[in-house]
Amino acid sequence: MASHPHSGDPVFDLHVGGKMETVSTVALTGPDELSLAYTPGVARVCEAIAADPSMTRHYTWVPNTVAIVTDGTAVLGLGDIGPAAAMPVMEGKSVLFKQFGGVDAVPICLDTTDVEEIIETVVRLAPSFGGINLEDISAPRCFEIEARLKERLDIPVFHDDQHGTAVVALAALTNALRLTGRDAATVRVVVQGAGAAGVAVARILLEAGVRDVAVLDRKGVLHSSRSDLTEVKAALARDTADRTGRSGSLADVMAGADVYIGVSGGQVPEEVVASMADDAIIFGLANPTPEVHPDLAHKYARVVATGRSDFPNQINNVLAFPGIFRGAFDVHASAITEGMKVAAATALAELVVDDLREDLVIPSPFDTRVPGAVREAVAAAARADGVARA
């Protein structure tokens, strides 16, 4: 291997030259193949697509290819590091799409943080792709970008930091409720963090029948008597704490709560953790430092999950996004619906029901059953929700 500035470091050695390449699916060994793959043969396919654009799904790679779009403003736990520094993560995401979903992906790192410019750029790129995976775009801009792209495009648009996290968290929570004998309709949930992941987690819990959710940002519980809420937070407040009358600080709503889901990066004092209900469920999802360290969580909780790979019950988005796009692409879905997300979560949860225990409420990313189970559930939900086109 040629030397490079960090030669000898296995992480940098692995990244030399990037983590992906484009590979031809056809042989070009002589003039006959060349005339079929390129001119003159290719012109016939172009004319067929010009006459009927739906032919794209049969004769190009477009319907199996997703654009992974970022502006580099919220990359992993690194924050706003810019589009160039985001590329290794987007390459990694592309490899995960291929490995776990058989989906081709192209990383696209945009040199703008302007909402209008991002939207217009993605709309103009859209004919080249079967779906758009928004990635590592900071809140609250990510909410408007996703919502407006969904309005303008007839292909799936999915912000993985929101919905991938939400799907896997719901799957794990479904099984944690099973283990602890709780019911979604009566369980009390606290979600700390009202960024992209926190909002999506709260929304999918409501979709799944949870009625008592308190969502907190740095200033406390989201409720409508606060005058400092963004439009997204205000809408969430109306659907969560306003319905139950909850308000105040984290300590106020954690007392007696059944479930804590942390997507904030903050730290929860031990006395607050200790105030939760018996047989509590604690998901501290911040990386690399969970809001509640598993050692502390286990003192008070029956089921503990993190975002880390070195503890049981990892809430890992790779369990969701490859299969979700694969299922959506299989039926040429025009969108990814709430029903498709819940179906993905249900499929994930069902995979470990027979082996369910405190340290196994969610399958491993390397469980070979995962992509197929999510794919089938999402495709079926797309048909049920009326967004399938094949």
Side-chain angles (χ1 to χ4, degrees), residues 192-277:
Q192 184 182 19
V199 171
V201 167
R203 286 286 175 203
I204 203 168
L205 293 183
L206 295 172
E207 188 75 21
V210 178
R211 297 175 185 169
D212 191 342
V213 184
V215 185
L216 297 95
D217 61 9
R218 290 181 179 85
K219 296 182 180 178
V221 175
L222 305 185
H223 58 86
S224 288
S225 58
R226 284 177 52 180
S227 58
D228 61 340
L229 299 182
T230 63
E231 188 176 321
V232 170
K233 289 182 180 180
L236 189 57
R238 289 191 293 273
D239 292 333
T240 55
D242 285 7
R243 293 182 175 180
T244 54
R246 302 202 185 280
S247 62
S249 67
L250 181 66
D252 292 328
V253 290
M254 282 284 272
D258 301 298
V259 179
Y260 167 82
I261 301 176
V263 279
S264 69
Q267 294 293 294
V268 184
E270 181 169 356
E271 62 269 21
V272 173
V273 179
S275 73
M276 295 181 71

Side-chain angles (χ1 to χ4, degrees), residues 366-382:
F366 295 100
D367 185 328
T368 56
R369 301 172 298 165
V370 166
V374 174
R375 171 185 192 168
E376 291 174 16
V378 168

Side-chain angles (χ1 to χ4, degrees), residues 179-204:
L179 264 181
T180 58
R182 290 182 168 97
D183 183 73
T186 55
V187 71
R188 267 192 63 200
V189 180
V190 173
V191 177
Q192 184 182 19
V199 171
V201 167
R203 286 286 175 203
I204 203 168

Side-chain angles (χ1 to χ4, degrees), residues 7-317:
S7 190
D9 182 318
V11 171
F12 284 90
D13 287 348
L14 180 142
H15 282 79
V16 171
K19 298 192 290 285
M20 55 189 291
E21 64 181 356
T22 303
V23 177
S24 174
T25 62
V26 298
L28 294 178
T29 57
D32 290 344
E33 286 96 344
L34 186 59
S35 68
L36 292 172
Y38 200 55
T39 186
V42 73
R44 291 175 53 201
V45 180
C46 294
E47 289 170 340
I49 293 172
D52 179 0
S54 72
M55 291 294 103
T56 301
R57 72 179 63 158
H58 299 292
Y59 300 117
T60 74
W61 83 327
V62 166
N64 193 57
T65 306
V66 61
I68 305 177
V69 179
T70 189
D71 63 359
T73 54
V75 181
L76 298 179
L78 304 173
D80 186 356
I81 60 174
M87 181 56 86
V89 177
M90 303 309 126
E91 282 187 11
K93 199 87 179 194
S94 299
V95 172
L96 295 176
F97 263 111
K98 188 68 171 181
Q99 176 74 25
F100 295 105
V103 171
D104 292 306
V106 178
I108 297 177
C109 300
L110 300 179
D111 190 13
T112 178
T113 60
D114 182 84
V115 168
E116 300 301 330
E117 289 183 357
I118 292 171
I119 292 169
E120 291 304 320
T121 301
V122 174
V123 167
R124 283 164 173 72
L125 289 170
S128 296
F129 299 98
I132 307 294
N133 185 92
L134 301 173
E135 190 77 23
D136 294 347
I137 299 172
S138 62
R141 296 174 312 121
C142 60
F143 301 117
E144 180 180 358
I145 290 168
E146 184 192 37
R148 288 176 54 193
L149 284 174
K150 287 169 75 171
E151 288 175 2
R152 293 185 61 178
L153 299 177
D154 66 347
I155 57 176
V157 177
F158 186 82
H159 184 206
D160 188 52
D161 305 303
Q162 292 183 60
H163 309 301
T165 303
V167 165
V168 184
L170 174 59
L173 182 59
T174 299
N175 279 335
L177 296 180
R178 277 188 177 120
L179 264 181
T180 58
R182 290 182 168 97
D183 183 73
T186 55
V187 71
R188 267 192 63 200
V189 180
V190 173
V191 177
Q192 184 182 19
V199 171
V201 167
R203 286 286 175 203
I204 203 168
L205 293 183
L206 295 172
E207 188 75 21
V210 178
R211 297 175 185 169
D212 191 342
V213 184
V215 185
L216 297 95
D217 61 9
R218 290 181 179 85
K219 296 182 180 178
V221 175
L222 305 185
H223 58 86
S224 288
S225 58
R226 284 177 52 180
S227 58
D228 61 340
L229 299 182
T230 63
E231 188 176 321
V232 170
K233 289 182 180 180
L236 189 57
R238 289 191 293 273
D239 292 333
T240 55
D242 285 7
R243 293 182 175 180
T244 54
R246 302 202 185 280
S247 62
S249 67
L250 181 66
D252 292 328
V253 290
M254 282 284 272
D258 301 298
V259 179
Y260 167 82
I261 301 176
V263 279
S264 69
Q267 294 293 294
V268 184
E270 181 169 356
E271 62 269 21
V272 173
V273 179
S275 73
M276 295 181 71
D278 292 340
D279 277 352
I281 298 164
I282 295 178
F283 292 1
L285 305 185
N287 256 325
T289 306
E291 292 84 355
V292 184
H293 192 279
D295 293 343
L296 171 61
H298 278 298
K299 289 175 64 176
Y300 303 100
R302 185 170 168 195
V303 181
V304 177
T306 72
R308 290 171 52 152
S309 59
D310 54 346
F311 290 102
N313 297 328
Q314 185 191 17
I315 307 301
N316 190 332
N317 289 18

Side-chain angles (χ1 to χ4, degrees), residues 345-357:
T346 301
L348 284 172
E350 292 295 331
L351 284 177
V352 293
V353 165
D354 291 342
D355 303 307
L356 198 56
R357 57 181 191 269

